Amino acid sequence: MKIKTALILCAGLGKRLNPLTLKTPKPLLKLKDVTMLENCINTAVKLGVKKIFLNTFHLKDQISNFLKDKKFLIDTKIIEDGKEILNTGGGILNMISNSQDNDYLIFNPDTLWNENYIHEIDKMQNFYFSKNLNNILLIVNKDLSFDKSLKGDFGFRNNLLIKDLNKNFIYIGCQILNKRLFKEYSVKNFSISEIWNELLKQNQLNGFESLNKFYHLTNLKTFKKLKDH
């Protein structure tokens, strides 16, 4: 099975990248003359999705103009957060409320997505469907992070993410979620980590390990280092 719809989270304020993000939304920052968002969309296209939803809030007109100018060869639709920012959970729920699908590939565009991830995300999809899961997060050992200041998010054992003292694994901004995880939630400002934490308590938060070097726009210092890399 293949997931038909990808969601890309583009609404954040990007405060850790001020002053750049006061005038440019974080997804439109460039590395090697290509925006982070373009890398993300190209990765989703290569994964074979048929539709992309993006949520917007901060400097939203720049993102809609970028999509118009680029004319990507895939159906893209912007779902605005509205008058108030919805955070990751609310933003995802607002987008899936506009879709009939059940399973979604969800990306953060502040990871530098590239060709090397295609095979891994394909394998993650296959694992998700073969095990009949409702969630899975792409993670990496923090030793593979370009930004050595990043702390780990989870422990990882037997394909399950766990909260332990040795948080050696970082969530890298790609996950698959089923819409039934949101049935108790309404569209408002909440973090997706609320749903993750409930799954952690039940020992039901799944992980899939990436073996790629992880490049991420953590902050201004890291962005400058990446530009020189």
Side-chain angles (χ1 to χ4, degrees), residues 6-195:
L7 314 178
I8 303 179
L9 299 169
C10 295
L13 303 176
K15 287 179 180 176
R16 285 174 297 182
L17 284 143
N18 282 353
L20 296 178
T21 42
L22 296 174
K23 293 185 176 176
T24 305
K26 185 163 62 169
L28 297 187
L29 293 178
K30 291 182 178 180
L31 286 172
K32 300 195 184 339
D33 293 322
V34 181
T35 66
M36 301 298 286
L37 180 54
E38 186 167 352
N39 279 319
C40 191
I41 290 173
N42 288 340
T43 300
V45 169
K46 285 169 187 163
L47 285 163
V49 301
K50 304 300 180 196
K51 178 178 278 195
I52 293 174
F53 286 157
L54 305 93
N55 73 324
T56 59
F57 180 79
H58 177 58
L59 302 174
K60 61 186 180 183
D61 292 346
Q62 286 190 41
I63 291 173
S64 59
N65 290 336
F66 172 79
L67 293 176
K68 282 175 198 160
D69 293 343
K70 277 291 176 184
K71 299 183 173 67
F72 290 101
L73 297 174
I74 187 167
D75 182 6
T76 57
K77 184 177 182 182
I78 288 176
I79 309 290
E80 293 182 9
D81 271 17
K83 290 180 181 171
E84 304 287 337
I85 198 164
L86 293 173
N87 206 330
T88 48
I92 291 167
L93 179 53
N94 194 36
M95 285 189 276
I96 66 178
S97 301
N98 286 271
S99 171
Q100 300 303 310
D101 292 344
N102 290 313
D103 302 290
Y104 298 87
L105 259 171
I106 304 165
F107 289 96
N108 297 355
D110 43 6
T111 292
L112 184 56
W113 298 107
N114 58 53
E115 291 267 346
N116 298 331
Y117 283 107
I118 306 298
H119 182 57
E120 287 185 342
I121 297 172
D122 266 335
K123 283 173 70 177
M124 182 171 78
Q125 277 197 76
N126 292 339
F127 184 81
Y128 176 87
F129 286 115
S130 68
K131 302 292 184 186
N132 196 27
L133 303 178
N134 62 12
N135 74 86
I136 195 162
L137 278 59
L138 192 61
I139 54 168
V140 73
N141 191 297
K142 62 185 180 185
D143 292 344
L144 284 171
S145 177
F146 176 78
D147 179 358
K148 294 303 177 191
S149 72
L150 279 179
K151 294 178 170 61
D153 301 304
F154 305 103
F156 182 51
R157 192 165 55 237
N158 300 326
N159 299 111
L160 286 173
L161 296 171
I162 52 177
K163 284 286 186 192
D164 67 2
L165 294 175
N166 299 315
K167 294 180 180 177
N168 288 328
F169 287 85
I170 301 169
Y171 169 62
I172 63 172
C174 176
Q175 61 187 319
I176 301 172
L177 298 178
N178 185 284
K179 71 168 19 168
R180 67 179 177 269
L181 291 169
F182 293 83
K183 66 179 185 292
E184 303 297 326
Y185 291 82
S186 57
V187 175
K188 61 181 181 184
N189 183 319
F190 72 94
S191 170
I192 194 62
S193 59
E194 287 188 30
I195 289 176

